[in-house]
Amino acid sequence: MQRRGWGSRFIGGDCAGKKSAITHVTGAQALPHRTPTLESNLPPCRPHPLATIDMSVTDPDLTAYRYSGAGEAKRFRLDRINPASTPCSSGDKPADQAALERLTLKIDDGQNLLLANRQRKLLVVLQGTDASGKDGTVRDVFRYTSPLGVRAVGWKAPTEEELAHDFLWRIHQRVPAAGEIVVFNRSHYEDVLVPVVTGAIKPAQTRQRYAHINDFERLLVETGTTVLKFMLHISKDEQRSRLQARIDDPTKNWKFNLGDLEVRKQWDAYQEAYADAISATGTTWAPWVVVPADSKAHRNLMIATLVSQALEDMELKAPPADPALANLKVS
């Protein structure tokens, strides 16, 4: 659904039982200005052919779904990733459900330690076309976490006040505080998608916004935030099916907007805009992961795998015991 007002401003874990090693930047590891120095977040893999990537259900390799090459003049090819592929699935539905259950409980444990320590932060960015499953991801992946330490932010078109500031002004106010997980349902990336497709900003303005986003995310990472960016990738046929379900089921009509059909007519343009944005902003400090999301179950499993691993990589410990409580007895 196209949001009125976007782009009208301008400023000058364990994947199917196999470990995926993820490296994160802590606040103490400052990065030189716009010079990538850290290796990206998913394990190295054998090269893949130029044909469409369609992983078998037993293949644990996720590197093909990750992009961190911004600045290398190498354009990311979204069309080479099959939205129906399931790299994190075991091929057994009950086993996958059990794996997701374990992962969501691990995320809850990690969130408790994150909140107790109040030093690190986690920002999860969910982007995708209409009906790609952003709401479902928030509901299913973070099902056991406490509202005390997890916030979900659903971004809409900017208000008049927000339009009077730079496009990142409102975003910075909602990023996680120390000890928090924040999930963005849509994000600052709408400002380099919608206005690009509608022609509201010119190519030079778009490039400028890409640079501002990279610097903004670098700031977050250097001050202790792990940034996970997921593009939920569904096929045009799958979107048609999901939109039709919203129309046919009266209890889901509230999820549907007639504007969604107009945006759907621009499918190819939005796919190109996503590929361009990923190419320009998939950095070593905040890489993109494209999540094949035709399967809702696989979408949840893949994202839960990487969120759980990100929390584990923080190596969080329970705060030290308070000596004053050693012999205290409650009467």
Side-chain angles (χ1 to χ4, degrees), residues 31-47:
L31 302 171
H33 182 68
R34 291 195 192 171
T35 304
T37 59
L38 300 177
E39 289 303 313
S40 190
N41 295 16
L42 292 172
C45 70
R46 60 188 179 278

Side-chain angles (χ1 to χ4, degrees), residues 137-186:
T137 298
V138 175
R139 181 175 59 250
D140 295 332
V141 172
F142 299 94
R143 64 177 74 164
Y144 293 126
T145 55
S146 169
L148 293 174
V150 179
R151 283 190 292 119
V153 181
W155 292 101
K156 305 297 183 183
T159 65
E160 291 302 316
E161 180 184 10
E162 291 166 346
L163 288 169
H165 295 79
D166 66 85
F167 78 99
L168 291 171
W169 176 77
R170 65 177 184 155
I171 305 297
H172 206 166
Q173 297 177 67
R174 307 299 294 275
V175 298
E180 275 193 321
I181 298 174
V182 170
V183 185
F184 280 179
N185 183 333
R186 300 188 187 270

Side-chain angles (χ1 to χ4, degrees), residues 13-16 20 22 62 88 96-108 122 124 126 136-138 140-144 228 230 232 289 291 296-312:
D14 194 357
C15 186
S20 34
I22 303 178
L62 295 179
C88 280
D96 285 354
Q97 290 173 336
L100 179 61
E101 180 75 4
R102 290 192 299 271
L103 287 165
T104 53
L105 288 170
K106 282 181 64 179
I107 290 170
D108 181 45
L122 176 61
V124 178
L126 302 177
T137 298
V138 175
D140 295 332
V141 172
F142 299 94
R143 64 177 74 164
Y144 293 126
L228 301 180
F230 299 112
L232 309 187
V289 176
V291 178
K296 297 177 183 179
H298 174 265
R299 173 201 73 206
N300 295 335
L301 184 59
M302 184 168 176
I303 292 176
T305 295
L306 298 179
V307 170
S308 174
Q309 187 66 57
L311 288 166
E312 184 178 329

Side-chain angles (χ1 to χ4, degrees), residues 23 41 47 112 167 201 216 250 300:
T23 302
N41 295 16
N112 286 336
F167 78 99
I201 60 175
F216 172 65
N300 295 335

Side-chain angles (χ1 to χ4, degrees), residues 33-231:
H33 182 68
R34 291 195 192 171
T35 304
T37 59
L38 300 177
E39 289 303 313
S40 190
N41 295 16
L42 292 172
C45 70
R46 60 188 179 278
H48 288 277
L50 295 181
T52 298
I53 297 166
D54 187 4
M55 298 294 196
S56 70
V57 294
T58 57
D59 193 335
D61 181 7
L62 295 179
T63 301
Y65 301 92
R66 178 266 291 145
Y67 185 82
S68 60
E72 297 177 1
K74 179 182 176 183
R75 189 171 187 272
F76 177 77
R77 290 289 302 274
L78 183 60
D79 59 344
R80 289 180 180 167
I81 294 182
N82 185 347
S85 60
T86 54
C88 280
S89 174
S90 67
D92 180 85
K93 185 175 180 179
D96 285 354
Q97 290 173 336
L100 179 61
E101 180 75 4
R102 290 192 299 271
L103 287 165
T104 53
L105 288 170
K106 282 181 64 179
I107 290 170
D108 181 45
D109 290 341
Q111 183 261 319
N112 286 336
L113 288 173
L114 186 70
L115 183 61
N117 279 268
R118 295 185 184 274
Q119 294 180 344
R120 298 296 306 279
K121 316 153 197 174
L122 176 61
L123 174 62
V124 178
V125 173
L126 302 177
Q127 277 293 152
T129 60
D130 292 313
S132 59
K134 298 178 289 294
D135 292 355
T137 298
V138 175
R139 181 175 59 250
D140 295 332
V141 172
F142 299 94
R143 64 177 74 164
Y144 293 126
T145 55
S146 169
L148 293 174
V150 179
R151 283 190 292 119
V153 181
W155 292 101
K156 305 297 183 183
T159 65
E160 291 302 316
E161 180 184 10
E162 291 166 346
L163 288 169
H165 295 79
D166 66 85
F167 78 99
L168 291 171
W169 176 77
R170 65 177 184 155
I171 305 297
H172 206 166
Q173 297 177 67
R174 307 299 294 275
V175 298
E180 275 193 321
I181 298 174
V182 170
V183 185
F184 280 179
N185 183 333
R186 300 188 187 270
S187 68
H188 42 300
Y189 283 95
E190 293 295 314
D191 290 287
V192 289
L193 293 168
V194 176
V196 169
V197 172
T198 61
I201 60 175
K202 299 182 183 300
Q205 296 170 291
T206 305
R207 290 191 297 271
Q208 186 181 55
R209 288 187 177 187
Y210 291 153
H212 290 157
I213 287 172
N214 289 344
D215 288 340
F216 172 65
E217 292 176 351
R218 180 196 293 270
L219 167 67
L220 297 181
V221 170
E222 289 182 349
T223 53
T225 302
T226 294
V227 180
L228 301 180
K229 302 187 300 195
F230 299 112
M231 190 273 178

